[in-house]
Structure formats: structure tokens, C-alpha cells
Amino acid sequence: LDLCLLADFPWETYGFALAFSARTHYWQTMAASSSAVVVPRNFRLLDELEKGEKAAGDPSISLGLESPEDTFMSSWIGTILGPNNTVHENRIYSLKLYCDENYPQKPPTVRFISKINMTYVNPNNGVVDSKIFHLLGNWNREYTMANILSELRKEMTASYNRKL
């Protein structure tokens, strides 16, 4: 099957799920075959949404759109379950992530909705400081929002973040 034909197929006629899977496969194949091809922002975000909704990967984090009407897929909600054997155990932390038009070239802004005491989280507004949090400060377009949530959870186990 010619992948170029897949790009021109009327996907909406046959259902969004099939359309999304085939388009994502097409763009991932094209990106893998040429370093000049970049997966478009919306396809990348659709892929992250699908993985977040299916809970693919780390079961201690979750991710989804803040509103189903957000056609630009900019505003996201994340959840982190506190790691075992830490002061964060049995706690559920909610976050807002905002992806502007430059995502994934630039990282999203990340803000804890839940009150938390961590070294790179502003205690007044919950914003994660991209200058201090290494994943945001050294952003790579291959990173995902799930990577951010997983890394934040990992940082909760650090000795300097063990105070409530």
C-alpha cells in the first residue's frame, strides 16, 4: 500500500479512529525515513492524547485534554500519583500543561493545581520553573508531556523534595 495515497484518503468518511491511526503511522514512517520531515504539531498531540487516554506506559501518571472542545489541543490536564515510601505517597497531584503553537519545538508550560512543595515549583502559583527543572530547561522535541509527568514524579523521591 502506497503511503502517499494514505495522506490523500478521505479519512473523515470512514471514522476518526482509523483516520488517526493511519495518519499517525504515515507521518511516523515519513519522519523515520527522512530527517527533513517533521511530524505536524496536531498529529503529535493526537498521538499523545491517544496514549494518555489508553493509559499506555506509566500507570502512575495520566494525561488528557482539559476540554474536548479544544480543537487546537493546547490546554491539558495531568495527574501524578505520589510515589510509594515518600511524603507524597497516597496523594494525587493535578497539573495543567499548556502547549502553545510552538510545541513540540518548545516545551509546554507546566503548573501544579495541587499544592506541592518542590524545589522548582513556585509556591505562590504552582508553575514549574523551566530554568531549574532540567527536562524543561534542556527540552528536546522528542520529549512528551508524559515524559514531563514521569520525571516530576521521579523528582518527588529526591531527598530535597521530601518535605510537605
Side-chain angles (χ1 to χ4, degrees), residues 46 54 81 85 156:
L46 282 170
K54 289 184 177 178
L81 300 178
N85 303 316
M156 289 177 185

Side-chain angles (χ1 to χ4, degrees), residues 13-33:
T13 305
Y14 296 98
F16 179 76
L18 173 63
F20 172 68
S21 296
R23 282 185 178 176
T24 300
H25 176 74
Y26 169 76
W27 286 109
Q28 288 172 341
T29 303
M30 292 302 290
S33 66

Side-chain angles (χ1 to χ4, degrees), residues 15-77:
F16 179 76
L18 173 63
F20 172 68
S21 296
R23 282 185 178 176
T24 300
H25 176 74
Y26 169 76
W27 286 109
Q28 288 172 341
T29 303
M30 292 302 290
S33 66
S34 170
S35 60
V37 176
V38 176
V39 176
R41 176 186 183 275
N42 286 353
F43 290 144
R44 164 70 180 268
L45 289 170
L46 282 170
D47 187 46
E48 290 194 47
L49 177 61
E50 180 182 46
K51 289 176 182 173
E53 288 179 340
K54 289 184 177 178
D58 187 351
S60 61
I61 62 168
S62 66
L63 183 67
L65 282 173
E66 184 173 19
S67 168
E69 286 82 33
D70 183 2
T71 58
F72 294 108
M73 294 180 282
S74 298
S75 297
W76 295 71
I77 294 289

Side-chain angles (χ1 to χ4, degrees), residues 12-13 15 17 34 60 97 113 115 121 138 155:
E12 292 72 24
T13 305
S34 170
S60 61
L97 299 95
I113 299 168
K115 188 85 171 149
V121 176
N138 300 309
E155 285 292 320

Side-chain angles (χ1 to χ4, degrees), residues 139-157:
W139 185 255
N140 177 323
R141 79 172 326 278
E142 299 303 316
Y143 296 156
T144 65
M145 289 181 278
N147 294 138
I148 295 169
L149 297 178
S150 292
E151 194 61 25
L152 285 168
R153 185 174 191 274
K154 181 180 168 187
E155 285 292 320
M156 289 177 185
T157 65

Side-chain angles (χ1 to χ4, degrees), residues 81-134:
L81 300 178
N84 293 335
N85 303 316
T86 69
V87 295
H88 304 285
E89 186 173 18
N90 297 322
R91 294 180 184 271
I92 299 173
Y93 295 98
S94 297
L95 301 89
K96 284 192 176 193
L97 299 95
Y98 181 79
C99 301
D100 69 13
E101 66 275 359
N102 296 314
Y103 182 83
Q105 286 80 9
K106 292 187 178 177
T109 56
V110 182
R111 181 174 65 86
F112 275 86
I113 299 168
S114 305
K115 188 85 171 149
I116 189 166
N117 185 17
M118 292 180 76
T119 55
Y120 40 77
V121 176
N122 182 314
N124 298 320
N125 59 17
V127 172
V128 177
D129 189 339
S130 62
K131 295 174 187 162
I132 301 172
F133 183 55
H134 63 91

